Every structure is written in structure tokens, then in C-alpha cells.
Amino acid sequence: MARTCVGVLRMEAGANPTDPALTARVGELAVTDQRFRVWWAEHRVAHQDFGSKRIAHPPRR
């Protein structure tokens, strides 16, 4: 699921290349998450064709 979400994020980034919040989020994820960096570098894109998901993520420290 996470890999698909990266593809959806890439699609959004391509559709909104000047969105500063989106650019900042991608930059933050690229710096802090190794898996994100690998998946982002694959250049896969995905359409969000699924329902909503609730993801429990550990709090930031």
C-alpha cells in the first residue's frame, strides 16, 4: 500500500509541480525515509482508484 501511495504522490507532484507544500513534503520524505527514496526513484505513477485508508503512523519525535 505504501508503494502505491508514493505513486499517487508522484502523480500529484507531476500535476502540481509548483505546489510548495507538496514539494516540501516530498523533500522531507526523501531525507527521512530510505524506502521512500527508493520508491520515488523508480518513477512509478499511480491513480488513486481505491477508497480511503486510515494509516497508523508513529508520532514524530
Side-chain angles (χ1 to χ4, degrees):
M1 177 51 72
R3 192 179 216 160
T4 299
C5 288
V6 172
V8 171
L9 185 61
R10 181 172 278 287
M11 177 67 81
E12 287 298 316
N16 302 291
T18 60
D19 181 332
L22 185 55
T23 301
R25 179 57 49 140
V26 170
E28 177 187 354
L29 290 167
V31 168
T32 60
D33 192 287
Q34 172 65 29
R35 289 176 297 178
F36 178 85
R37 284 192 298 274
V38 169
W39 294 339
W40 188 259
E42 291 174 349
H43 296 277
R44 294 181 184 188
V45 294
H47 293 281
Q48 184 172 357
D49 58 358
F50 49 87
S52 62
K53 296 270 186 209
R54 184 174 303 265
I55 300 172
H57 191 274
R60 292 184 183 183
R61 295 182 189 150

